[in-house]
Amino acid sequence: MGTTSAKLSSNFYARTCPNVLSTIRMAVKSAVNNEARMGASLLRLHFHDCFVQGCDGSVLLDDTSTFTGEKTAFPNANSLRGFDVIDTIKSQVENLCPGVVSCADIVAVAARDSVVALGGPSWTVQLGRRDSTTANISAANSDLPAQTLDLSGLITSFSNQGFTTNEMVTLSGAHTIGQARCTKFRTRIYNETNIDSCFAKSLEANCPSTGGDDNLSNLDVTTPNTFDNTYFKSLQIKKGLLHSDQQLFNGGSTDLQVNCYSSNPGSFRNDFANAMVKMGNLSPLTGSRGQIRTNCRTIN
Protein backbone atom coordinates (compact mmCIF):
# COMPACT_ATOMS: atom_id res chain seq x y z
CA MET A 1 0.00 0.00 0.00
CA GLY A 2 1.29 3.42 -0.87
CA THR A 3 1.72 5.69 2.11
CA THR A 4 1.73 9.45 1.91
CA SER A 5 3.01 12.12 4.26
CA ALA A 6 -0.27 14.07 4.22
CA LYS A 7 -3.17 12.19 5.80
CA LEU A 8 -6.78 12.18 4.69
CA SER A 9 -9.16 13.86 7.11
CA SER A 10 -12.93 13.84 7.52
CA ASN A 11 -13.09 17.64 7.81
CA PHE A 12 -10.66 18.40 4.98
CA TYR A 13 -13.07 20.84 3.30
CA ALA A 14 -14.50 22.38 6.48
CA ARG A 15 -13.05 25.80 5.65
CA THR A 16 -12.49 25.64 1.90
CA CYS A 17 -15.85 24.16 0.83
CA PRO A 18 -18.14 23.71 3.85
CA ASN A 19 -21.27 22.74 1.87
CA VAL A 20 -19.67 20.13 -0.35
CA LEU A 21 -21.03 17.08 1.48
CA SER A 22 -24.64 18.23 1.47
CA THR A 23 -24.34 19.16 -2.20
CA ILE A 24 -23.08 15.69 -3.14
CA ARG A 25 -25.67 14.00 -0.93
CA MET A 26 -28.59 15.82 -2.57
CA ALA A 27 -27.27 15.14 -6.08
CA VAL A 28 -26.82 11.43 -5.37
CA LYS A 29 -30.24 11.17 -3.77
CA SER A 30 -31.78 12.75 -6.84
CA ALA A 31 -29.89 10.43 -9.22
CA VAL A 32 -30.83 7.31 -7.23
CA ASN A 33 -34.48 8.40 -6.94
CA ASN A 34 -34.47 8.81 -10.70
CA GLU A 35 -32.94 5.35 -11.26
CA ALA A 36 -32.30 2.99 -8.34
CA ARG A 37 -29.62 1.11 -10.29
CA MET A 38 -27.47 4.26 -10.30
CA GLY A 39 -26.69 3.68 -6.61
CA ALA A 40 -24.92 0.43 -7.45
CA SER A 41 -23.19 2.06 -10.42
CA LEU A 42 -21.73 4.87 -8.29
CA LEU A 43 -20.58 2.39 -5.63
CA ARG A 44 -18.88 0.29 -8.29
CA LEU A 45 -17.20 3.34 -9.80
CA HIS A 46 -15.39 3.96 -6.49
CA PHE A 47 -14.37 0.30 -6.29
CA HIS A 48 -13.02 0.26 -9.87
CA ASP A 49 -11.18 3.51 -9.20
CA CYS A 50 -9.49 2.39 -5.97
CA PHE A 51 -8.40 -1.05 -7.21
CA VAL A 52 -6.33 0.55 -10.01
CA GLN A 53 -3.42 2.71 -8.76
CA GLY A 54 -5.45 3.79 -5.71
CA CYS A 55 -8.43 6.12 -5.17
CA ASP A 56 -7.26 8.84 -7.54
CA GLY A 57 -10.07 9.42 -10.03
CA SER A 58 -8.10 7.69 -12.80
CA VAL A 59 -11.18 5.68 -13.82
CA LEU A 60 -12.95 8.89 -14.88
CA LEU A 61 -10.43 9.92 -17.55
CA ASP A 62 -11.56 9.70 -21.18
CA ASP A 63 -9.34 8.36 -23.96
CA THR A 64 -7.83 10.95 -26.29
CA SER A 65 -5.59 10.65 -29.34
CA THR A 66 -2.56 10.81 -27.04
CA PHE A 67 -3.92 9.29 -23.81
CA THR A 68 -5.40 5.90 -22.96
CA GLY A 69 -7.72 5.79 -19.96
CA GLU A 70 -9.21 2.82 -18.11
CA LYS A 71 -12.76 2.98 -19.49
CA THR A 72 -12.07 0.51 -22.30
CA ALA A 73 -10.44 -2.09 -20.02
CA PHE A 74 -12.29 -5.39 -20.15
CA PRO A 75 -13.91 -5.10 -16.67
CA ASN A 76 -15.07 -1.54 -17.45
CA ALA A 77 -16.10 -1.44 -21.12
CA ASN A 78 -19.89 -1.36 -21.72
CA SER A 79 -20.24 -1.90 -18.00
CA LEU A 80 -19.11 1.01 -15.82
CA ARG A 81 -21.61 3.84 -15.68
CA GLY A 82 -22.51 6.92 -13.65
CA PHE A 83 -19.88 9.19 -15.23
CA ASP A 84 -22.58 11.71 -16.14
CA VAL A 85 -23.75 11.87 -12.51
CA ILE A 86 -20.18 12.56 -11.38
CA ASP A 87 -19.95 15.29 -14.06
CA THR A 88 -23.14 16.90 -12.76
CA ILE A 89 -21.90 16.82 -9.16
CA LYS A 90 -18.51 18.19 -10.20
CA SER A 91 -20.06 21.18 -11.98
CA GLN A 92 -22.24 21.94 -8.94
CA VAL A 93 -19.21 21.72 -6.65
CA GLU A 94 -17.10 23.88 -8.99
CA ASN A 95 -19.82 26.56 -8.76
CA LEU A 96 -19.61 26.37 -4.97
CA CYS A 97 -15.82 26.42 -4.62
CA PRO A 98 -13.80 26.38 -7.86
CA GLY A 99 -10.66 24.26 -7.97
CA VAL A 100 -10.97 22.92 -4.43
CA VAL A 101 -12.68 19.49 -4.38
CA SER A 102 -11.14 16.55 -6.25
CA CYS A 103 -13.03 14.18 -8.51
CA ALA A 104 -11.59 11.27 -6.48
CA ASP A 105 -13.22 12.64 -3.32
CA ILE A 106 -16.53 13.17 -5.12
CA VAL A 107 -16.50 9.51 -6.22
CA ALA A 108 -15.72 8.35 -2.67
CA VAL A 109 -18.53 10.42 -1.12
CA ALA A 110 -21.01 9.49 -3.85
CA ALA A 111 -20.38 5.79 -3.17
CA ARG A 112 -21.23 6.23 0.52
CA ASP A 113 -24.29 8.38 -0.22
CA SER A 114 -25.53 5.80 -2.75
CA VAL A 115 -25.42 3.02 -0.16
CA VAL A 116 -27.26 5.22 2.35
CA ALA A 117 -29.88 6.19 -0.26
CA LEU A 118 -30.68 2.50 -0.78
CA GLY A 119 -31.03 1.77 2.94
CA GLY A 120 -27.47 0.72 3.71
CA PRO A 121 -25.03 1.81 6.42
CA SER A 122 -23.21 5.12 6.54
CA TRP A 123 -19.55 5.73 7.29
CA THR A 124 -17.24 8.70 7.65
CA VAL A 125 -15.48 9.36 4.35
CA GLN A 126 -11.93 10.56 4.82
CA LEU A 127 -11.18 13.41 2.39
CA GLY A 128 -8.23 15.17 0.80
CA ARG A 129 -7.50 12.88 -2.15
CA ARG A 130 -6.14 14.53 -5.27
CA ASP A 131 -6.70 13.50 -8.87
CA SER A 132 -4.21 11.54 -10.94
CA THR A 133 -2.78 12.78 -14.21
CA THR A 134 -2.30 9.16 -15.34
CA ALA A 135 -4.40 6.05 -15.87
CA ASN A 136 -3.45 2.39 -16.19
CA ILE A 137 -5.48 0.22 -18.55
CA SER A 138 -3.23 -2.81 -18.07
CA ALA A 139 -3.68 -2.65 -14.28
CA ALA A 140 -7.45 -2.30 -14.79
CA ASN A 141 -7.37 -5.48 -16.86
CA SER A 142 -5.23 -7.40 -14.37
CA ASP A 143 -6.18 -6.04 -10.93
CA LEU A 144 -9.98 -5.83 -11.02
CA PRO A 145 -11.49 -9.18 -9.93
CA ALA A 146 -13.33 -10.92 -12.78
CA GLN A 147 -16.67 -12.69 -12.36
CA THR A 148 -14.97 -15.88 -13.60
CA LEU A 149 -12.65 -16.16 -10.58
CA ASP A 150 -12.79 -19.09 -8.20
CA LEU A 151 -12.54 -18.52 -4.44
CA SER A 152 -8.72 -18.72 -4.40
CA GLY A 153 -8.52 -16.14 -7.20
CA LEU A 154 -10.88 -13.78 -5.37
CA ILE A 155 -8.86 -14.12 -2.17
CA THR A 156 -5.65 -13.33 -4.07
CA SER A 157 -7.16 -10.39 -5.97
CA PHE A 158 -8.33 -8.71 -2.76
CA SER A 159 -5.21 -9.69 -0.84
CA ASN A 160 -3.13 -7.88 -3.48
CA GLN A 161 -4.94 -4.70 -2.39
CA GLY A 162 -4.36 -5.41 1.30
CA PHE A 163 -7.77 -6.92 2.11
CA THR A 164 -8.34 -10.02 4.22
CA THR A 165 -10.52 -12.89 3.04
CA ASN A 166 -13.23 -11.69 5.45
CA GLU A 167 -13.11 -8.20 3.94
CA MET A 168 -13.37 -9.70 0.46
CA VAL A 169 -16.61 -11.46 1.44
CA THR A 170 -17.87 -8.26 3.07
CA LEU A 171 -17.18 -6.11 0.01
CA SER A 172 -18.74 -8.74 -2.27
CA GLY A 173 -21.94 -7.94 -0.39
CA ALA A 174 -22.12 -4.81 -2.55
CA HIS A 175 -23.83 -7.18 -5.00
CA THR A 176 -26.95 -6.85 -2.87
CA ILE A 177 -27.74 -3.98 -5.29
CA GLY A 178 -27.24 -3.54 -9.01
CA GLN A 179 -27.46 -5.63 -12.15
CA ALA A 180 -25.17 -7.66 -14.38
CA ARG A 181 -25.14 -8.19 -18.13
CA CYS A 182 -26.06 -11.57 -19.59
CA THR A 183 -22.56 -12.00 -20.96
CA LYS A 184 -21.25 -12.03 -17.37
CA PHE A 185 -23.44 -14.91 -16.15
CA ARG A 186 -24.40 -16.91 -19.28
CA THR A 187 -21.76 -19.61 -18.67
CA ARG A 188 -22.98 -20.06 -15.11
CA ILE A 189 -26.67 -20.54 -15.89
CA TYR A 190 -26.09 -22.95 -18.78
CA ASN A 191 -23.05 -24.93 -17.60
CA GLU A 192 -22.69 -24.90 -13.81
CA THR A 193 -24.22 -27.35 -11.37
CA ASN A 194 -24.00 -25.40 -8.08
CA ILE A 195 -27.00 -23.31 -9.11
CA ASP A 196 -30.68 -23.70 -8.25
CA SER A 197 -32.20 -25.22 -11.39
CA CYS A 198 -35.41 -23.17 -11.25
CA PHE A 199 -33.36 -20.00 -10.76
CA ALA A 200 -31.16 -20.87 -13.76
CA LYS A 201 -34.25 -21.62 -15.86
CA SER A 202 -35.85 -18.30 -14.88
CA LEU A 203 -32.82 -16.43 -16.24
CA GLU A 204 -32.71 -18.17 -19.62
CA ALA A 205 -35.50 -16.12 -21.20
CA ASN A 206 -33.58 -12.91 -20.57
CA CYS A 207 -30.18 -14.46 -21.29
CA PRO A 208 -30.36 -16.84 -24.26
CA SER A 209 -27.41 -19.10 -25.03
CA THR A 210 -26.53 -16.77 -27.91
CA GLY A 211 -27.41 -13.10 -28.30
CA GLY A 212 -28.80 -10.69 -25.72
CA ASP A 213 -25.35 -10.00 -24.28
CA ASP A 214 -26.42 -6.67 -22.77
CA ASN A 215 -29.70 -7.90 -21.25
CA LEU A 216 -29.65 -7.25 -17.51
CA SER A 217 -30.55 -9.34 -14.47
CA ASN A 218 -30.53 -8.36 -10.81
CA LEU A 219 -27.51 -9.47 -8.77
CA ASP A 220 -29.85 -9.86 -5.78
CA VAL A 221 -33.05 -11.50 -6.98
CA THR A 222 -35.03 -10.75 -3.79
CA THR A 223 -34.52 -7.05 -2.96
CA PRO A 224 -32.45 -5.63 -5.85
CA ASN A 225 -32.89 -2.00 -4.87
CA THR A 226 -32.32 -2.33 -1.13
CA PHE A 227 -28.91 -2.51 0.49
CA ASP A 228 -29.42 -5.44 2.86
CA ASN A 229 -28.12 -8.96 3.57
CA THR A 230 -30.35 -10.96 1.18
CA TYR A 231 -27.41 -11.39 -1.21
CA PHE A 232 -25.90 -13.78 1.34
CA LYS A 233 -29.21 -15.60 1.83
CA SER A 234 -29.37 -16.13 -1.94
CA LEU A 235 -25.93 -17.74 -1.90
CA GLN A 236 -27.12 -20.26 0.70
CA ILE A 237 -29.79 -21.49 -1.72
CA LYS A 238 -27.49 -21.50 -4.77
CA LYS A 239 -28.97 -18.35 -6.28
CA GLY A 240 -25.78 -16.36 -6.73
CA LEU A 241 -25.96 -14.75 -10.19
CA LEU A 242 -22.25 -14.64 -10.99
CA HIS A 243 -19.79 -17.52 -10.77
CA SER A 244 -17.68 -15.39 -8.40
CA ASP A 245 -20.71 -14.77 -6.15
CA GLN A 246 -21.53 -18.45 -5.64
CA GLN A 247 -17.85 -19.19 -4.94
CA LEU A 248 -18.33 -17.52 -1.56
CA PHE A 249 -20.71 -20.32 -0.57
CA ASN A 250 -19.55 -23.48 -2.25
CA GLY A 251 -18.13 -25.71 0.47
CA GLY A 252 -15.08 -23.53 1.04
CA SER A 253 -13.51 -21.44 3.78
CA THR A 254 -15.94 -18.52 3.39
CA ASP A 255 -19.18 -20.48 3.92
CA LEU A 256 -19.19 -19.68 7.65
CA GLN A 257 -19.04 -15.95 7.04
CA VAL A 258 -21.89 -16.10 4.52
CA ASN A 259 -23.94 -17.95 7.14
CA CYS A 260 -23.07 -15.29 9.70
CA TYR A 261 -24.10 -12.38 7.48
CA SER A 262 -27.31 -14.03 6.38
CA SER A 263 -28.44 -14.40 9.99
CA ASN A 264 -26.89 -11.17 11.30
CA PRO A 265 -27.56 -8.14 9.07
CA GLY A 266 -26.10 -5.77 11.66
CA SER A 267 -22.76 -7.53 11.51
CA PHE A 268 -22.69 -7.17 7.71
CA ARG A 269 -23.60 -3.48 7.84
CA ASN A 270 -20.91 -2.71 10.37
CA ASP A 271 -18.22 -4.71 8.58
CA PHE A 272 -19.16 -3.23 5.20
CA ALA A 273 -18.82 0.33 6.49
CA ASN A 274 -15.38 -0.46 7.95
CA ALA A 275 -14.21 -2.17 4.75
CA MET A 276 -15.33 0.82 2.67
CA VAL A 277 -13.29 3.19 4.85
CA LYS A 278 -10.29 0.94 4.28
CA MET A 279 -10.92 0.85 0.54
CA GLY A 280 -11.14 4.63 0.37
CA ASN A 281 -7.66 4.79 1.92
CA LEU A 282 -5.98 2.81 -0.87
CA SER A 283 -2.93 4.80 -2.03
CA PRO A 284 -4.51 8.26 -2.29
CA LEU A 285 -2.61 11.15 -3.83
CA THR A 286 -2.27 13.87 -1.20
CA GLY A 287 -0.31 17.04 -0.54
CA SER A 288 1.24 18.32 -3.76
CA ARG A 289 0.87 15.09 -5.73
CA GLY A 290 -1.68 14.97 -8.53
CA GLN A 291 -4.05 17.87 -9.19
CA ILE A 292 -7.62 19.03 -8.67
CA ARG A 293 -9.19 18.42 -12.08
CA THR A 294 -11.63 21.06 -13.30
CA ASN A 295 -13.27 18.47 -15.55
CA CYS A 296 -13.23 14.91 -14.20
CA ARG A 297 -12.82 13.46 -17.69
CA THR A 298 -9.64 15.30 -18.62
CA ILE A 299 -6.32 16.33 -17.10
CA ASN A 300 -6.03 20.09 -16.53
Side-chain angles (χ1 to χ4, degrees):
M1 294 295 93
T3 53
T4 47
S5 50
K7 285 262 196 281
L8 300 182
S9 139
S10 59
N11 59 356
F12 188 83
Y13 298 112
R15 290 192 181 140
T16 54
C17 197
N19 296 324
V20 63
L21 292 178
S22 57
T23 301
I24 298 173
R25 183 171 64 247
M26 286 188 292
V28 168
K29 201 170 179 182
S30 167
V32 173
N33 283 345
N34 188 42
E35 185 203 8
R37 182 186 173 208
M38 188 52 71
S41 299
L42 292 171
L43 175 58
R44 189 159 173 251
L45 209 51
H46 182 41
F47 178 84
H48 282 231
D49 184 28
C50 294
F51 261 56
V52 182
Q53 65 180 32
C55 308
D56 61 0
S58 62
V59 75
L60 306 173
L61 290 167
D62 283 342
D63 288 2
T64 68
S65 56
T66 56
F67 180 89
T68 304
E70 295 162 14
K71 290 180 178 178
T72 55
F74 185 70
N76 296 338
N78 304 314
S79 173
L80 270 195
R81 57 201 295 278
F83 299 108
D84 50 338
V85 175
I86 299 298
D87 291 340
T88 300
I89 296 171
K90 177 63 173 173
S91 63
Q92 291 175 5
V93 171
E94 283 298 303
N95 285 337
L96 267 186
C97 18
V100 171
V101 181
S102 69
C103 300
D105 274 350
I106 289 172
V107 169
V109 176
R112 187 268 314 271
D113 292 347
S114 291
V115 170
V116 172
L118 293 172
S122 187
W123 58 90
T124 302
V125 179
Q126 302 296 314
L127 300 165
R129 299 168 193 79
R130 288 166 66 84
D131 297 321
S132 69
T133 54
T134 62
N136 193 332
I137 189 169
S138 62
N141 278 317
S142 63
D143 295 357
L144 288 164
Q147 81 284 351
T148 51
L149 290 179
D150 290 336
L151 182 60
S152 59
L154 290 167
I155 290 170
T156 300
S157 177
F158 279 77
S159 172
N160 288 342
Q161 303 292 340
F163 290 108
T164 65
T165 299
N166 280 9
E167 288 166 336
M168 180 273 290
V169 175
T170 305
L171 290 169
S172 298
H175 284 181
T176 184
I177 52 175
Q179 297 176 312
R181 293 157 64 230
C182 164
T183 183
K184 299 288 188 186
F185 61 85
R186 176 184 284 124
T187 303
R188 171 154 164 74
I189 66 172
Y190 288 101
N191 299 323
E192 296 187 8
T193 53
N194 62 340
I195 184 168
D196 177 88
S197 57
C198 295
F199 175 59
K201 203 84 191 145
S202 72
L203 293 163
E204 290 179 5
N206 199 36
C207 186
S209 52
T210 53
D213 283 6
D214 292 330
N215 293 353
L216 299 167
S217 289
N218 293 322
L219 286 160
D220 175 352
V221 70
T222 319
T223 53
N225 296 323
T226 306
F227 196 99
D228 56 21
N229 68 329
T230 55
Y231 165 81
F232 297 103
K233 295 182 179 184
S234 298
L235 300 183
Q236 291 177 311
I237 52 173
K238 299 187 178 177
K239 290 187 179 180
L241 183 67
L242 305 178
H243 174 82
S244 54
D245 289 328
Q246 197 59 55
Q247 285 293 299
L248 304 183
F249 192 84
N250 195 36
S253 62
T254 52
D255 286 15
L256 282 172
Q257 195 178 348
V258 171
N259 287 337
C260 170
Y261 284 160
S262 46
S263 61
N264 189 340
S267 174
F268 167 55
R269 289 171 69 90
N270 185 58
D271 290 355
F272 188 82
N274 290 333
M276 287 300 294
V277 171
K278 182 171 174 177
M279 190 170 81
N281 285 332
L282 291 180
S283 307
L285 298 172
T286 56
S288 58
R289 297 163 63 210
Q291 61 181 210
I292 304 297
R293 282 189 228 134
T294 310
N295 175 342
C296 291
R297 294 173 182 265
T298 57
I299 294 155
N300 294 346

